Structures are given as C-alpha cells and as structure tokens.
Amino acid sequence: MEPTISVIVITYNQEKTIGRTLDSILMQQCHVPFEIVIGEDCSTDGTLAVCQQYAKKHPDTIRILANNPNKGIVDNYFDCILACRGRYIADCAGDDFWIDPLKLEKEIGVFEQHPDVTLVHTDWQYYNDSTGVVSPSPQKPFTAPVTCGKDMLEAIVTQTSLPVIHLCTSLYKADVIKNALAHDETMFRNKEYGCEDLQIAFAMAQQGNIAFLPDITLNYSHGHESASSSVHSEKLYRNTKRFTELSYQLAQRYDIHSEKTEAYFSQRVFALGMHAFRLHEPSLLSETMELEKRWKVQRSNKTRLLFAVMRHDVLWSCGLRLRQAFVTVKKLFR
C-alpha cells in the first residue's frame, strides 16, 4: 500500500538518540499509512547500524538512504523530500522525538477539513538531554487555528533564535514543496545558507494557509552540540551569517521591507559583531562591516559603540576582561 504520509528523519552521529526518534514515529496511531525515510549521512559512529536494525524489524515502513560520502544537512534533507512517496511530509530530527501518539492523526484531520491549508504545525517543548528536564517553548506569534500564509511571511523572514514554524512539529503538502524546489532549486539547495527549514516554511506560507494546533507534540532536544546550536563562537558566527543571508535573499526577492525587517537585520549585524568580539578576531570585524553594507543596515548606537571598541586592540582586550568578570559574577549569583 502506498503511504499517505512520509516522515523524514535526518541523522548524523546520533547513535544514542536515533532509536528514541524512530520509536516516537512508529508509535503513531494514524488511520492513513505512513513511511519513514531516513537520511543517514555517513555517520562515523553506530547510527547506521541502529537504523538498519529498525529497518529489518519494519521493512514495510522504513527506508534508509545511506549516504556515502556525507552530503550535509541541506542536500540530505532535500534528497529525502524527492524520495518521499506520500502526499504529505513530516519530519523529526534524529535527536528530537514526538511525544503525542496522535500527532499525525490530528494533523491529517486538519487537511481533510481544510483543503486550502498547505502546512499544519503544533506547539512543542524543550527537552534537556543531559538532565531530562522539560520546559515550555516561548509564546507563539500565530496561534489562530488557521492563518493566511502571506500574513506570516515577514515574521518567518525575521525570526531570530526561534522558528515561527517548528518543522519537526509540522505536516505539509509534498506537491507544494516539490514544485517550489523544482522552480527555484538554488534557494533551497545553496549550502551557503546552511539550513532547510526557513525556506520550506516560507514556501508553504506563500502558497496557502497555515494551521496551528495547540497540542504539544514534540520534545525539542537541547543541552548538547547539534546542527542548529553550537557552543563555539566561530560556528555561531557562521551559522548566524548563513541564516541572515537567506533571510536577506527572501526579503529582496519577495519585496519584504518594513521597520521590522530593518530592525531584524540591524540586530543580526550586532549579533555577528558580538561573536567577533568574543573571538577577538579583527578579520571577522571587517567581514561583519561588509555584511552591514551588503544588507543595507543603518548602524545602531550599540553597534557603533561595539565597533568603536573593536577598532582599538587595547580597548578590545579590556572589554573582554570586563565581560569575563561580569560572566563570573553572574554565575556566582545564580
């Protein structure tokens, strides 16, 4: 039987968590058939072996796309999309897991009632992998049952640290994303952008209405190194740059310009400047100033002050010592 839903699982070096992810998908109670498409990206640990064990137990449900060599998250994800056989696509990252066995059932029900909806997403919560503690996600900007997608485009472009639509909670129409990918492959496949979820959320909102369910269906793992979060300032700098460049391209291409977008790009320049400041790396200051020009950013007062300090090495070194002292004191009073 052909699946109605395809669930994408992108995984790399997640031997300890991939089984938890797959179990959370296999527990789904849904009246339509679904498949699981695993994009295993040439892991160096035992991730592939774990996936193969699950595929052996569930040969009619699980397909593995075992990459060799490593493709990276962007090509891995979109190659999985092209391999999906379902009319709808969901995804769950290899370190996250669903906690509602009716997640897919609830979402497919929305599509059956609202044919003009292109994507359904839900609420979610943080899960600390180190402690097992759960905590609520921040308040969502669009909590109406159904929202016109075009009303969400600016918010999707200007999201900073948290997604307007968390793709790992979503179910979306396969034909819409496949058509968008065929129409503008560069926007989706460009590795310089370093992500896949922003483009997908934007494309789905541009093509129809977006539905939201208030149910918490996902534990979003944190407290560990991952593709979307890093404890290293240089990686954070590169990730912030890539993400902001993608936002800039979308804003330019679809003529999304407002006080909110101006404030967003100004904030991102300051964030890049702070990453460069912490690294004490003059070349990154120059790079940030070039990006400021490229993104046509009006320099804010706090960015002006930051750049002034970073132009003088003695001031820069003193600033770093003051910051370290502040961080130390802050930890003492936690």
Side-chain angles (χ1 to χ4, degrees):
M1 182 184 298
E2 283 294 299
T4 302
I5 297 172
S6 296
V7 183
I8 293 173
V9 178
I10 298 298
T11 185
Y12 174 73
N13 282 357
Q14 292 168 329
E15 177 184 6
K16 295 181 180 179
T17 59
I18 187 62
R20 180 182 67 186
T21 301
L22 295 174
D23 286 336
S24 78
I25 302 169
L26 290 166
M27 77 174 182
Q28 290 297 302
Q29 301 167 22
C30 192
H31 76 278
V32 299
F34 64 87
E35 67 171 351
I36 300 173
V37 179
I38 302 175
E40 204 295 316
D41 208 16
C42 201
S43 297
T44 58
D45 63 2
T47 301
L48 178 58
V50 175
C51 293
Q52 288 170 334
Q53 290 171 9
Y54 273 82
K56 187 176 180 180
K57 292 180 182 177
H58 306 276
D60 296 329
T61 302
I62 296 177
R63 288 189 291 138
I64 302 175
L65 306 183
N67 302 328
N68 192 2
N70 176 281
K71 291 182 178 180
I73 189 170
V74 174
D75 279 341
N76 190 16
Y77 193 94
F78 289 111
D79 284 348
C80 283
I81 282 182
L82 295 179
C84 287
R85 297 180 296 171
R87 291 171 51 208
Y88 303 95
I89 295 174
D91 91 59
C92 190
D95 53 353
D96 299 331
F97 57 104
W98 294 341
I99 57 174
D100 185 347
L102 297 177
K103 174 197 182 291
L104 295 180
E105 178 69 11
K106 293 172 181 177
E107 291 177 326
I108 200 69
V110 174
F111 282 112
E112 292 172 349
Q113 296 179 29
H114 300 278
D116 55 346
V117 164
T118 55
L119 179 147
V120 184
H121 65 120
T122 78
D123 203 350
W124 52 276
Q125 63 189 10
Y126 289 108
Y127 175 83
N128 189 304
D129 259 326
S130 300
T131 64
V133 173
V134 297
S135 53
S137 63
Q139 187 174 358
K140 312 299 179 295
F142 298 96
T143 56
V146 178
T147 301
C148 174
K150 287 185 170 57
D151 292 342
M152 299 176 66
L153 294 179
E154 181 185 67
I156 292 171
V157 165
T158 57
Q159 60 193 7
T160 51
S161 58
L162 293 169
V164 173
I165 296 171
H166 198 314
L167 209 61
C168 285
T169 74
S170 302
L171 184 68
Y172 55 93
K173 289 183 176 178
D175 62 339
V176 174
I177 191 58
K178 288 181 179 180
N179 288 338
L181 180 57
H183 177 72
D184 192 358
E185 189 173 23
T186 301
M187 182 60 72
F188 294 91
R189 293 275 195 175
N190 191 333
K191 292 183 177 62
E192 289 302 311
Y193 300 150
C195 72
E196 78 294 339
D197 50 354
L198 181 67
Q199 305 97 305
I200 294 174
F202 191 94
M204 305 312 289
Q206 189 188 37
Q207 294 299 317
N209 293 336
I210 304 298
F212 175 75
L213 296 173
D215 310 59
I216 297 174
T217 67
L218 174 76
N219 270 1
Y220 176 55
S221 295
H222 70 124
H224 62 281
E225 187 80 358
S226 70
S228 59
S229 64
S230 173
V231 296
H232 305 296
S233 283
E234 187 165 3
K235 283 187 178 181
L236 285 170
Y237 183 95
R238 296 301 167 197
N239 287 343
T240 301
K241 175 185 173 182
R242 292 188 190 104
F243 194 89
T244 310
E245 178 61 25
L246 173 57
S247 295
Y248 177 74
Q249 291 297 331
L250 288 169
Q252 290 295 107
R253 184 167 303 194
Y254 296 99
D255 195 27
I256 301 174
H257 303 287
S258 66
E259 290 184 6
K260 184 175 180 179
T261 58
E262 290 177 6
Y264 166 77
F265 288 110
S266 176
Q267 187 274 340
R268 300 312 264 179
V269 167
F270 179 75
L272 287 168
M274 284 302 300
H275 291 318
F277 172 78
R278 286 189 288 268
L279 286 163
H280 204 168
E281 182 51 68
S283 65
L284 291 183
L285 170 61
S286 299
E287 187 174 342
T288 302
M289 295 175 74
E290 287 300 316
L291 290 169
E292 182 184 49
K293 291 179 183 177
R294 171 176 171 74
W295 297 333
K296 303 178 179 65
V297 172
Q298 186 71 34
R299 187 174 297 177
S300 66
N301 288 334
K302 65 180 182 180
T303 302
R304 192 174 289 113
L305 176 61
L306 177 64
F307 286 0
V309 169
M310 294 168 70
R311 286 194 187 98
H312 302 279
D313 193 61
V314 173
L315 287 177
W316 195 339
S317 297
C318 289
L320 284 170
R321 286 195 290 271
L322 284 172
R323 180 183 179 276
Q324 185 56 52
F326 174 78
V327 170
T328 301
V329 171
K330 189 176 179 181
K331 286 181 178 178
L332 289 175
F333 286 92
R334 279 181 179 175

